[in-house]
Amino acid sequence: MQPPETTLAPPGGRGKHSSYDFVDRALVLATLAGARRVLDLGCGRGDWSLALARVGTPVLAVDRWREGLQWLRLQAGSLPLHVLEADLGAPLPLADGAADGALLSLVLHHLASRGKAPGLLTQIARVLAPGGLLAIIEFLPVAPPPGPPLAVRLSPALVLALAADAGLVGDTPRPIADHIGLYLLRKPA
């Protein structure tokens, strides 16, 4: 039995928003549902992690935001959801091929601005099983608001080039909101 969604407000604050609130959720959830294990990398307060776990998909939620992870643990109950406190700018403390799905939602542009995107994508490729899927939700290069300044947003060509350098293959993003795209990238089998 799934625990009910809580009415307790999740932790928030500047930069603690979730794409879950304003994108086509059904498409994202359908893309990752059924995976044997999904990594929600940079999970924040865990909206995507909870949604995936509620449909029976095992999730490992990873973030360095302690308050968000604590709230997520409380919400998880008996769901197939575990949390891991880790910095995405460092090597992921996971075995090779540990998951067949991964989600990176509104995180890549932050890491790219610090020069950490190539390393993270290489780490994701390492921990994905052959044939595994990485879903990236990212702001499209259209004028804000909402979201970060245009200068911070990544072009689809850059996202795909970073992914290719890490050994992941995919195509142009599919719009899932007026200003957000969904990239589906695979690790070759």
Side-chain angles (χ1 to χ4, degrees):
M1 176 156 179
Q2 299 175 12
E5 291 192 36
T6 182
T7 57
L8 179 66
R14 190 179 186 312
K16 303 301 181 195
H17 57 277
S18 173
S19 63
Y20 185 80
D21 295 330
F22 49 87
V23 302
D24 179 355
R25 294 181 207 152
L27 177 62
V28 176
L29 294 173
T31 298
L32 293 167
R36 68 176 168 83
R37 185 182 201 192
V38 170
L39 307 174
D40 184 359
L41 301 165
C43 67
R45 64 188 188 203
D47 295 330
W48 287 110
S49 296
L50 287 167
L52 284 162
R54 285 186 178 118
V55 297
T57 303
V59 177
L60 178 61
V62 181
D63 206 298
R64 67 178 185 176
W65 183 33
R66 187 168 289 153
E67 182 183 12
L69 293 176
Q70 289 170 344
W71 184 84
L72 181 54
R73 276 188 193 99
L74 292 173
Q75 304 310 302
S78 63
L79 291 171
L81 194 159
H82 298 279
V83 302
L84 173 65
E85 185 175 342
D87 183 350
L88 297 182
L92 293 172
L94 301 167
D96 294 0
D100 59 346
L103 175 64
L104 196 61
S105 180
L106 302 185
V107 173
L108 193 61
H109 68 277
H110 291 293
L111 293 166
S113 70
R114 297 183 311 163
K116 302 279 186 174
L120 175 61
L121 290 172
T122 298
Q123 286 293 306
I124 293 170
R126 179 185 64 77
V127 301
L128 277 177
L133 174 72
L134 168 60
I136 297 177
I137 298 171
E138 193 54 64
F139 290 103
L140 296 170
V142 296
L150 188 57
V152 174
R153 296 174 188 228
L154 306 175
S155 71
L158 178 57
V159 172
L160 294 173
L162 289 167
D165 288 347
L168 301 167
V169 295
D171 207 350
T172 56
R174 181 175 182 173
I176 55 174
D178 290 340
H179 52 288
I180 295 179
L182 174 64
Y183 296 83
L184 299 178
L185 307 165
R186 289 222 176 258
K187 178 177 180 176

